[in-house]
Amino acid sequence: MDKPAGNLTIVMYHYVRPLKRTRFPRIKGLDLDLFEEQLGYLSRHYSFVTMEQLIDAIDGADELPPRPALLTFDDGYLDHYTYVLPKLMERKIQGSFFPPSCSAIDRRVLDVNKIHFILASNVDPDDLVATIETACRERAAEFGLEPLAHYREKYMVGNFLDPANVDYIKLMLQHALPSVLRGELIEQLFRRHVAADEATFAGELYATVEQLRLMRSCGMHIGSHGSLHQWLGHLPREEQEADIEASLGLLDAVGAAPGYRSMCYPYGSYNADTVNAIASRGFKLALTTEVALSETSAAARFRLPRLDTNHLPKDAAAPINEWTLAAGADAAVKAS
């Protein structure tokens, strides 16, 4: 008989930096001082585990300690090499890092990051909404667009991280509009408000393959975040297969162990085709952006939920449970 699944707390991080000392202090990241406070909180209440321990436990080859916690870091930012790695090494904690291969290898700025930095510039979000909607009106016939009222009703909703107008901008530019129009709008807004030289900006934003290889040699885990950071669950099976296959090149380049491959779905987007594609390529588990504590069971291995860093209590004397989580997570996370 299978043993009952235990609870696991997986925490999701993106930007971690000394925000006030950066060029974009408005970026929605975690300040480095608060990250260190969270490491202290987690150290007091949890037992940190490695990705390899988790995979072994799911496979039935190991047991996790009481109240286990796993730290995950999405998107392969230079922040993770510069700021996160030293903090984790000081405390002998493993982090699991998930860079898209196109940013690490090809030095391309992900569309999701372009959107983040557009929003972190000094432009008023309502002006961005106006620019997007003007383009929609002017090119509605060309792209067969729905009336603006349709998009507003469906996407201008807001969540616990973003007000309605910011959520609307993100969703319209991430997947609601046709890909060609999205790409043109993102490029226009990025060049106008953030940077004209994408390659130079990418060099400032992302860790290199060499840095990721060094992180792995220091005991960190490197997993896949896809190749192009796409909404995999929205793509045809063949395109999903191609994206996931292309991401394996980065794992090989950094020396990731084939027996411990892990996947972090970009945007938390996946479907049955995604699961089949990663399972057939030897992946052992996959992470979502669903907000919940995880079960360490084989049945859940390809749909493990996580907590966003914003869900961690700032002044708590006890670990997170289902009641405290529910109080702080009344909406789904639309994270990258």
Side-chain angles (χ1 to χ4, degrees), residues 102-230:
C102 72
S103 57
I105 295 175
D106 302 326
R107 313 311 280 163
R108 292 168 54 183
V109 180
L110 303 177
D111 281 351
V112 66
N113 293 143
K114 288 180 179 178
I115 296 168
H116 290 165
F117 283 94
I118 291 166
L119 289 166
S121 67
N122 291 324
V123 63
D124 187 328
D126 287 336
D127 291 340
L128 295 175
V129 170
T131 298
I132 292 167
E133 292 192 336
T134 296
C136 289
R137 291 189 193 94
E138 293 175 349
R139 307 182 73 178
E142 178 184 353
F143 288 101
L145 302 181
E146 300 284 351
L148 285 176
H150 165 84
Y151 295 112
R152 282 178 166 256
E153 180 180 0
K154 189 171 182 179
Y155 299 114
M156 193 172 283
V157 292
N159 58 55
F160 85 105
L161 289 175
D162 295 314
N165 59 352
V166 171
D167 196 28
Y168 180 70
I169 293 164
K170 287 183 176 181
L171 295 177
M172 291 288 277
L173 295 180
Q174 285 174 357
H175 70 86
L177 296 176
S179 60
V180 172
L181 181 57
R182 292 199 317 264
E184 291 179 7
L185 280 168
I186 291 169
E187 186 66 20
Q188 170 192 334
L189 293 170
F190 182 76
R191 288 182 175 276
R192 179 185 301 169
H193 299 292
V194 182
D197 187 341
E198 180 175 340
T200 298
F201 193 83
E204 298 172 355
L205 183 58
Y206 301 115
T208 65
V209 173
E210 292 73 19
Q211 289 166 336
L212 293 168
R213 189 182 298 123
L214 177 61
M215 292 169 69
R216 189 206 58 78
S217 71
C218 292
M220 303 297 125
H221 176 85
I222 309 296
S224 172
H225 204 31
S227 175
L228 300 176
H229 198 277
Q230 303 179 89

Side-chain angles (χ1 to χ4, degrees), residues 27-47:
I27 198 74
K28 289 199 172 176
L30 182 67
D31 190 80
L32 186 60
D33 289 342
L34 184 53
F35 175 63
E36 194 154 20
E37 289 180 22
Q38 289 190 354
L39 291 182
Y41 164 80
L42 291 164
S43 297
R44 289 191 297 274
H45 298 296
Y46 295 87
S47 297

Side-chain angles (χ1 to χ4, degrees), residues 39-68:
L39 291 182
Y41 164 80
L42 291 164
S43 297
R44 289 191 297 274
H45 298 296
Y46 295 87
S47 297
F48 289 109
V49 298
T50 67
M51 180 63 77
E52 293 74 21
Q53 284 177 289
L54 173 57
I55 290 171
D56 286 344
I58 289 174
D59 285 341
D62 197 0
E63 291 188 5
L64 297 183
R67 205 172 288 150

Side-chain angles (χ1 to χ4, degrees), residues 11-15 28 72 74-75 77 110 112-113 116 159-162 167 170-171 174-175 225 229-231 264-269 287-291 306-311 331-336:
V11 186
M12 169 176 55
Y13 294 92
H14 290 86
Y15 305 103
K28 289 199 172 176
T72 66
D74 293 9
D75 297 340
Y77 299 124
L110 303 177
V112 66
N113 293 143
H116 290 165
N159 58 55
F160 85 105
L161 289 175
D162 295 314
D167 196 28
K170 287 183 176 181
L171 295 177
Q174 285 174 357
H175 70 86
H225 204 31
H229 198 277
Q230 303 179 89
W231 291 71
C264 176
Y265 302 123
Y267 307 100
S269 175
L287 307 171
T288 73
T289 56
E290 178 189 351
V291 179
R306 297 183 286 173
L307 308 187
D308 186 88
T309 174
N310 293 283
H311 291 126
V333 179
K334 296 181 178 69
S336 54

